Amino acid sequence: MKRNELIENIKRKGSFLCVGLDTDIKKIPSHLLDSDDPVYEFNKAIIDATAPYCVAYKPNLAFYEATGAQGWITLEKTLRYLKENYPDQFIIADAKRGDIGNTSKLYARSFFEHLDVDAITVAPYMGEDSVTPFLGYEGKWVILLALTSNKGSRDFQFIEDKEGTRLFEHVITTSQKWASPEEMMYVVGATQGEMFKDIRRVAPDSFLLVPGVGAQGGSLEDVARYGMNADCGLLVNSSRGIIFASSGTDYAEAAANEAEKLQKQMHAILSEAGII
Amino acid sequence: MKRNELIENIKRKGSFLCVGLDTDIKKIPSHLLDSDDPVYEFNKAIIDATAPYCVAYKPNLAFYEATGAQGWITLEKTLRYLKENYPDQFIIADAKRGDIGNTSKLYARSFFEHLDVDAITVAPYMGEDSVTPFLGYEGKWVILLALTSNKGSRDFQFIEDKEGTRLFEHVITTSQKWASPEEMMYVVGATQGEMFKDIRRVAPDSFLLVPGVGAQGGSLEDVARYGMNADCGLLVNSSRGIIFASSGTDYAEAAANEAEKLQKQMHAILSEAGII
């Protein structure tokens, strides 16, 4: 999906919500466990319930790999279901891959050709030749980890060089030489609040994928206040807060309610900013 | 596998060779393509041919994920074959994972319980809570990326803080507070030659997993000269140089020859150092 289509979808739906399909088989309602593929059944119902309120889905690969080949089959079925029924959804494989060039090339083939997702999250530690093999696919995106939502982000991402530039700023500044904002986004955790100001100083035009709202405690208002640009420029992800809103038979309805709540807040934020 | 067992294996076999199972279906001999699972057939023959000369195998996950669920089945079969026939081999899943805590926990479950490998490579960018979920499994290891073998390692890993400490040194120093050398190793690329001196200054006891000998141009002599410690402390990986030594029907024999060549050099190095 191209940048202008994504922006159109955000405006049309009054939403920049991404629903994280972190589907842990240990947490899905027990009545689903009798079906052939409980995770797939769960995902289908969650997608049908939340699609009106979001513009993107983000399956986290760990939750599928946890059950090996069976998990991959479930992932492939989920992606096919999304593409056939909701072709306007932006699909992010949250994989955090990154390896030497010939290996990253294979990951790119796996995610952009075989799974045919719109975007993949990539870890920056190994530098340019670990990232560039993911570029150059028409309408496909790299989403580079910049400033993550977890406590451990403090360990290395804030290390300052002699000029006071922090590692996450280096990552953003350097990687903008590799790709335009038409094909690269950044992960910036919602828990990093006013850091969004510093991020926008170095990446004014880029889309930011923002995890950490909800279960991890980040504030949607802060993210929008400091992180939004003229195109919106944000995809805010919520996973557990939506998909596990209820563990009963009403799980899909509960997920829809949570997604709708966020969508309404987002609609108000987009209106106020004059974007819609 | 515990550290003392690994060291015993190295001494017994006079080898610290790790064979990288980066099995690209586009590169395997064409006569195998008629079988039901060509990559598995290739891996079995390579393993049988090279096992006398090495102490470890390292499948790179990208090469299996590239074909989705089928690739995972092939990986699972390959690991089972290794464990049943060569239980003294140390198995490394080269996956370069790393995510927020609850997700890393799932990756740990996938690799240490489901696949039951001895070690997994992990990317350090997200810090402590992305790494520690992989710790605490009896006889299992985290192999943290420190200084990689690719050109892009220059982009971020060498960034110096105000005191002149480079990022890869921060990674090694900080992570040693999370885990002992009984459960954590570091990836240090063979192409980094004399950097091994600096690494040994901050990690004298840790095992180092060293990719980049062979196709990537690193020198085994330099690695041993600067990187070996009293326990050997090295696992040197070669992938393409061994497994794709021949593209004909003699591929397994050719792989054995290349592995044996490296093993002989390693035997001489270990003897000279008085380790065997």
Side-chain angles (χ1 to χ4, degrees), chain B residues 59-128:
Chain B
N60 186 320
L61 272 282
F63 290 82
Y64 301 87
E65 282 186 31
T67 52
Q70 176 53 49
W72 270 82
I73 292 168
T74 302
L75 176 67
E76 289 169 4
K77 282 160 67 183
T78 300
L79 296 176
R80 208 174 311 127
Y81 186 77
L82 265 173
K83 297 181 85 69
E84 281 171 11
N85 296 283
Y86 304 98
D88 63 342
Q89 294 287 346
F90 186 81
I91 307 176
I92 302 164
D94 195 1
K96 302 188 176 66
R97 298 298 192 261
D99 207 311
I100 62 170
N102 75 319
T103 306
S104 275
K105 228 178 257 171
L106 267 168
Y107 277 128
R109 203 199 288 170
S110 171
F111 286 95
F112 290 154
E113 296 181 21
H114 183 81
L115 295 179
D116 195 22
V117 297
D118 295 291
I120 178 175
T121 57
V122 174
Y125 192 74
M126 294 181 68
E128 179 170 6

Side-chain angles (χ1 to χ4, degrees), chain B residues 19-250:
Chain B
V19 173
L21 297 171
D22 297 9
T23 312
D24 187 344
I25 193 160
K26 298 195 174 173
K27 285 193 195 159
I28 68 179
S30 53
H31 73 280
L32 291 174
L33 298 176
D34 294 335
S35 75
D36 281 349
D37 189 343
V39 170
Y40 178 58
E41 293 306 321
F42 179 86
N43 283 350
K44 271 202 302 187
I46 292 285
I47 291 166
D48 289 338
T50 56
Y53 311 114
C54 67
V55 293
Y57 285 95
K58 179 172 76 61
N60 186 320
L61 272 282
F63 290 82
Y64 301 87
E65 282 186 31
T67 52
Q70 176 53 49
W72 270 82
I73 292 168
T74 302
L75 176 67
E76 289 169 4
K77 282 160 67 183
T78 300
L79 296 176
R80 208 174 311 127
Y81 186 77
L82 265 173
K83 297 181 85 69
E84 281 171 11
N85 296 283
Y86 304 98
D88 63 342
Q89 294 287 346
F90 186 81
I91 307 176
I92 302 164
D94 195 1
K96 302 188 176 66
R97 298 298 192 261
D99 207 311
I100 62 170
N102 75 319
T103 306
S104 275
K105 228 178 257 171
L106 267 168
Y107 277 128
R109 203 199 288 170
S110 171
F111 286 95
F112 290 154
E113 296 181 21
H114 183 81
L115 295 179
D116 195 22
V117 297
D118 295 291
I120 178 175
T121 57
V122 174
Y125 192 74
M126 294 181 68
E128 179 170 6
D129 55 335
S130 71
V131 175
T132 50
F134 292 100
L135 299 169
Y137 286 84
E138 174 89 15
K140 304 289 189 191
W141 298 72
V142 164
I143 309 184
L144 201 62
L145 300 187
L147 191 50
T148 57
S149 57
N150 63 323
K151 187 161 161 276
S153 64
R154 299 272 148 183
D155 288 322
F156 306 121
Q157 296 166 25
F158 283 85
I159 290 176
E160 289 183 15
D161 72 5
K162 291 186 177 65
E163 283 76 41
T165 306
R166 291 162 290 191
L167 177 60
F168 72 87
E169 290 164 324
H170 272 290
V171 166
I172 293 172
T173 308
T174 301
S175 63
Q176 285 183 87
K177 296 175 196 151
W178 311 335
S180 78
E182 301 285 326
E183 53 180 350
M184 191 177 281
M185 304 185 184
Y186 297 98
V187 172
V188 181
T191 50
Q192 304 289 356
E194 59 199 48
M195 283 296 146
F196 277 85
K197 268 196 271 190
D198 298 346
I199 303 266
R200 279 301 179 204
R201 217 167 284 141
V202 287
D205 300 323
S206 303
F207 260 87
L208 308 178
L209 172 64
V210 185
V213 161
Q216 294 181 58
S219 144
L220 178 60
E221 287 69 26
D222 281 356
V223 169
R225 183 175 308 123
Y226 300 117
M228 191 168 270
N229 66 18
D231 293 323
C232 176
L234 295 172
L235 287 173
V236 169
N237 182 77
S238 174
S239 303
R240 288 169 275 175
I242 291 176
I243 71 174
F244 297 127
S246 160
S247 58
T249 52
D250 64 340

Side-chain angles (χ1 to χ4, degrees), chain A residues 23-155:
Chain A
T23 312
D24 187 343
I25 193 158
K26 297 195 174 172
K27 285 192 192 158
I28 69 178
S30 53
H31 73 279
L32 291 174
L33 297 177
D34 294 335
S35 75
D36 280 348
D37 188 344
V39 171
Y40 178 59
E41 293 306 320
F42 179 86
N43 283 350
K44 272 203 300 187
I46 292 285
I47 290 165
D48 289 339
T50 56
Y53 311 114
C54 67
V55 293
Y57 285 96
K58 179 173 75 62
N60 185 319
L61 272 279
F63 291 81
Y64 300 87
E65 281 187 29
T67 52
Q70 176 53 50
W72 270 83
I73 292 169
T74 302
L75 175 68
E76 289 169 3
K77 282 160 67 184
T78 301
L79 296 176
R80 207 175 310 128
Y81 186 78
L82 265 172
K83 297 184 85 70
E84 280 171 10
N85 296 282
Y86 304 97
D88 63 342
Q89 294 287 347
F90 187 80
I91 307 176
I92 301 164
D94 196 0
K96 302 188 175 69
R97 298 297 191 262
D99 207 311
I100 62 169
N102 76 319
T103 306
S104 275
K105 227 178 258 171
L106 267 170
Y107 278 127
R109 201 201 289 174
S110 172
F111 286 95
F112 291 155
E113 296 180 21
H114 183 81
L115 296 178
D116 195 22
V117 297
D118 295 292
I120 178 174
T121 57
V122 174
Y125 192 73
M126 293 180 69
E128 180 170 6
D129 56 333
S130 71
V131 175
T132 50
F134 292 100
L135 299 169
Y137 285 84
E138 174 88 17
K140 305 290 189 191
W141 298 71
V142 164
I143 310 184
L144 202 60
L145 301 187
L147 191 50
T148 58
S149 57
N150 64 322
K151 189 163 159 276
S153 64
R154 299 273 148 185
D155 288 322

